[in-house]
Every structure is written in C-alpha cells, then in structure tokens.
Amino acid sequence: MDGLRNLFLVGAGGALGSMLRYLISTLLVKGAYGGFPWRTLVVNLAGSIALAWLLRGGLLSVSEQTRLFLGVGLLGGFTTYSTFNYEVVELVRHGHMGQAAAYVATTVIVAFAAAMIIIESPA
C-alpha cells in the first residue's frame, strides 16, 4: 500500500510541476522561439535552486512522502535538470571530479548528438 501511495504522490507532484513549468514558461517570454531560450533557463535555474534547498536541509525534517511529492514529483516534473545538477554537485563534493566531468559531457554530448541524428534523419 505504501508503494502505491508513494507512486500517487510522485505522480501528483509531477503533474503539478509540469503545469507550473508550462505556466512559467508561457508567462515569462511569449513567442520567444528562435532567440535565447530564457524560459528553459529560468525554469532550470529555479528547479536547481529549489532542489538544492530541499536537499540541503530546507525540508529534511518532513516526512518521506512530502519529500517524494516535492522533490521527485513536483521538482522532477518542473525540470529534470535540477536532479542532473544536484547529482553533478554531489559527485564534485565527494571528490569524483572525473566522474562529474564524464557525466556532464556524456549527458550533453550524447543527448545533443541523438537529437541531431533524429531531427536530421529523413522521415
């Protein structure tokens, strides 16, 4: 029963996070396609700061369910970059500079290459 409740909490938080991302990105800069991606940048920065605050101690005294709802669900739906950023920070904090660099480079390069291959391939 706990697993199902936790799944629901993550899903509900994720739905709210996705809606919040959409709301912020549409209100921030309407019709700014083709220019600098300010909307995504703002969402990624806000999500990264919020997750770091949450994991640093802002809400460590709350229940596991609250952390699942806010951290995994809400912020995960808001931006997965926040999780990526926090994982890189943790690797660096624990002295794993090579792993951190490899993680960043692999994520950015492989994701970019995959998107380019898919977008540029004939339909």
Side-chain angles (χ1 to χ4, degrees):
M1 189 66 160
D2 282 344
L4 186 58
R5 179 180 59 198
N6 290 347
L7 184 64
F8 175 77
L9 289 169
V10 170
L16 288 174
S18 295
M19 290 186 286
L20 183 61
R21 178 183 64 233
Y22 175 77
L23 180 66
I24 289 173
S25 68
T26 56
L27 292 176
L28 185 64
V29 183
K30 293 185 178 187
Y33 290 108
F36 190 81
W38 289 107
R39 296 180 284 192
T40 304
L41 179 63
V42 167
V43 167
N44 286 341
L45 292 174
S48 293
I49 291 166
L51 185 62
W53 180 79
L54 174 70
L55 295 173
R56 174 74 166 109
L59 294 175
L60 287 179
S61 61
V62 299
S63 70
E64 176 68 15
Q65 287 77 27
T66 302
R67 284 193 298 274
L68 285 172
F69 176 77
L70 293 176
V72 179
L74 183 74
L75 292 175
F78 188 61
T79 173
T80 57
Y81 181 80
S82 58
T83 303
F84 168 73
N85 187 60
Y86 187 77
E87 290 169 345
V88 173
V89 167
E90 284 300 295
L91 286 169
V92 170
R93 283 186 61 230
H94 290 93
H96 304 293
M97 297 301 289
Q99 288 180 353
Y103 184 35
V104 169
T106 302
T107 299
V108 172
I109 292 168
V110 172
F112 173 77
M116 286 300 294
I117 289 168
I118 292 167
I119 290 169
E120 295 296 325
S121 66

